[in-house]
Amino acid sequence: MANFEAVKEGLAKNGQEHLLKYWDELSEDQRALLLEDIGELNLEEVKEFFERATSSMAESGEKLDDKMEPVCEDKFLSISGSNPDQLTKYYEEGLRQIAGSKVGVLLMAGGQGTRLGFAHPKGMYNVGLPSNKSLFHVQAQRILKLQRLAAEFVGQSGRITWYIMTSEATMVPTKKYFEQNNYFGLEEENIVMFEQGSLPCYDFNGKILLDEKHRISKAPDGNGGLYRALRDRGILDDLERRGVLYLHAHSVDNILIKVADPIFIGYCVEQSADCAAKVVEKSHPNEAVGVVCQVDGKYQVVEYSEITQKTAELRKPDGRLTFNAGNICNHFFTTSFLRKIGSTFEKELKLHVAKKKIPFVDESGTRCTPDKPNGIKIEKFVFDVFQFAQHFVTVEVPRDEEFSALKNADSAGKDCASTARADIYRLHKKYVEAAGGSVDGVEVEISPLLSYGGEGLGSIVKGKTFACPVYLTADGESK
């Protein structure tokens, strides 16, 4: 087997020959699977990744206090502190770009709902709203409504292309779910799914772990794997072919996400930004979110663990935290910026290390599940490209209107289905009351097909009192 000998030689050269330890025990089918796994590895790159990742792990204890500065005022838009007329201008510019089919959405949907006790892709999760809509369903309908709003405003119909990044584990069920639900009313051709990459799992000495005798242990390469996947899966080419110039990128698990937010898009276009971040004001100094700031003059996200308590507690003259721009995985990119990352800077992205309990095949050939961390997983973070931006801006949005994460089971009491549901109810009740209606109770849901962000409700709710639970739908939409 010439192929086998070449594989064996390549593994030995890079210190990974143990991957063939059980070769003689494998069936022909198992051997083929193992060779396929090994063939997907760039062994020199894998070796370099481990060395880079572990060296950055050694540096990760460094505190960045002396190198940090807050976001520049001229690169910062606060939605709550802005003139409504100016926001309207940004909103209208965003609608023009949408009507011209210049806007796409990049949804990071590789995660499973494991922590929610849900054995499916997280986007399929239903938090228990009156409509019983899943996260995917709600976001799809927001896209649909926004296309209609743009068409009404501009007088021409455009499309928002929805790019959905799955993982190996979520691709097939996600595709099936969209097919079964008839793409939630969107055009199938405008939904493009692609798979993020994976990286091997290592022991602490840099040896790649075996998950089974014939399978390498792998894990998704993090949301920062987006950039390589866009390049290698042909998505950058697809963006350019469709004429998409601007992308709104976000994770699947924020139920309040303003998908393809026209104000965000419009502001970034007006500012000629190539990269941007939405942030929320940190609730308190010790809130466990990273902050968007400048380090040595370049924008990045600094984790709470990377600064001292003293710096975390610094305040401006108005009493607000000095470093208060909480990162919420909500970003704007131009297509040209993403092309630049893919062709030039992707290989420079920082590698982050997580020590994990990783199932492995031990010396005797038995598959073990360890009770303490036995190896590392390497991942990249989506925000690590900020430093490469030429024109970076930040938009601060009201937390109660735009950010409610879904990460935990209800038993945790925070960032769970109960809090996501309560946040939707609170916001939608506010929409009804702002439009002149009143609500007796708290359970209020408004279909995205009726209103994207509280607009257009006056003729339906003004002067009326609603008894909960309230579920307002668009004409022709089933309850």
Side-chain angles (χ1 to χ4, degrees), residues 64-70 291 293-295 302 307 311 323:
L64 299 175
D65 304 53
D66 295 339
K67 302 178 180 180
M68 287 171 57
E69 292 177 55
V291 293
C293 60
Q294 294 181 85
V295 176
V302 171
I307 57 176
T311 295
F323 296 102

Side-chain angles (χ1 to χ4, degrees), residues 252-326:
V252 74
D253 56 6
N254 175 10
I255 199 164
L256 296 185
I257 187 75
K258 285 191 168 178
V259 184
D261 175 15
I263 292 179
F264 190 34
I265 300 292
Y267 173 69
C268 291
V269 170
E270 292 271 339
Q271 292 289 312
S272 300
D274 53 358
C275 177
K278 272 193 182 186
V279 298
V280 295
E281 184 173 1
K282 280 185 70 171
S283 58
H284 56 86
N286 296 332
E287 185 181 7
V289 295
V291 293
V292 177
C293 60
Q294 294 181 85
V295 176
D296 288 335
K298 291 185 177 178
Y299 283 95
Q300 71 175 66
V301 173
V302 171
E303 299 298 344
Y304 172 64
S305 59
E306 295 177 301
I307 57 176
T308 63
Q309 183 69 21
K310 183 179 177 183
T311 295
E313 292 177 352
L314 288 175
R315 293 189 181 270
K316 301 174 185 175
D318 64 3
R320 298 175 77 199
L321 292 170
T322 300
F323 296 102
N324 69 346

Side-chain angles (χ1 to χ4, degrees), residues 184-206:
F184 305 107
L186 292 166
E187 297 293 328
E188 179 185 354
E189 68 205 43
N190 295 329
I191 300 175
V192 181
M193 295 186 193
F194 63 103
E195 210 174 288
Q196 74 183 103
S198 60
L199 289 170
C201 302
Y202 306 78
D203 70 14
F204 294 126
N205 297 311

Side-chain angles (χ1 to χ4, degrees), residues 87-314:
L87 294 181
T88 298
K89 287 179 182 174
Y90 297 143
Y91 177 78
E92 291 174 351
E93 177 60 29
L95 292 182
R96 278 190 283 271
Q97 298 297 338
I98 289 166
S101 300
K102 301 287 192 287
V103 176
V105 171
L106 276 174
L107 177 65
M108 292 168 271
Q112 294 274 37
T114 313
R115 283 167 64 185
L116 306 172
F118 183 66
H120 306 282
K122 195 188 275 191
M124 290 166 56
Y125 192 76
N126 161 17
V127 303
L129 294 169
S131 66
N132 284 314
K133 289 172 185 171
S134 66
L135 295 170
F136 281 141
H137 194 164
V138 169
Q139 291 171 31
Q141 289 193 330
R142 287 183 185 146
I143 289 174
L144 202 53
K145 177 63 173 177
L146 203 45
Q147 289 178 160
R148 291 171 184 168
L149 287 171
E152 287 167 14
F153 176 71
V154 179
Q156 78 179 58
S157 294
R159 61 160 192 275
I160 296 170
T161 308
W162 199 8
Y163 296 92
I164 301 175
M165 184 174 78
T166 72
S167 60
E168 185 178 1
T170 62
M171 173 60 96
V172 171
T174 300
K175 272 192 166 177
K176 282 185 179 172
Y177 183 67
F178 273 74
E179 287 166 7
Q180 288 163 357
N181 287 279
N182 199 28
Y183 302 93
F184 305 107
L186 292 166
E187 297 293 328
E188 179 185 354
E189 68 205 43
N190 295 329
I191 300 175
V192 181
M193 295 186 193
F194 63 103
E195 210 174 288
Q196 74 183 103
S198 60
L199 289 170
C201 302
Y202 306 78
D203 70 14
F204 294 126
N205 297 311
K207 302 290 185 187
I208 295 171
L209 294 170
L210 283 171
D211 186 53
E212 299 177 60
K213 291 179 183 179
H214 65 290
R215 301 299 328 229
I216 286 172
S217 180
K218 295 181 287 186
D221 56 1
N223 56 22
L226 174 71
Y227 307 108
R228 177 174 286 214
L230 288 172
R231 181 192 69 202
D232 294 351
R233 308 286 187 189
I235 303 303
L236 292 175
D237 297 334
D238 188 79
L239 286 162
E240 289 165 1
R241 187 167 58 249
R242 291 173 185 259
V244 176
L245 301 180
Y246 311 111
L247 289 125
H248 184 195
H250 61 87
S251 55
V252 74
D253 56 6
N254 175 10
I255 199 164
L256 296 185
I257 187 75
K258 285 191 168 178
V259 184
D261 175 15
I263 292 179
F264 190 34
I265 300 292
Y267 173 69
C268 291
V269 170
E270 292 271 339
Q271 292 289 312
S272 300
D274 53 358
C275 177
K278 272 193 182 186
V279 298
V280 295
E281 184 173 1
K282 280 185 70 171
S283 58
H284 56 86
N286 296 332
E287 185 181 7
V289 295
V291 293
V292 177
C293 60
Q294 294 181 85
V295 176
D296 288 335
K298 291 185 177 178
Y299 283 95
Q300 71 175 66
V301 173
V302 171
E303 299 298 344
Y304 172 64
S305 59
E306 295 177 301
I307 57 176
T308 63
Q309 183 69 21
K310 183 179 177 183
T311 295
E313 292 177 352
L314 288 175

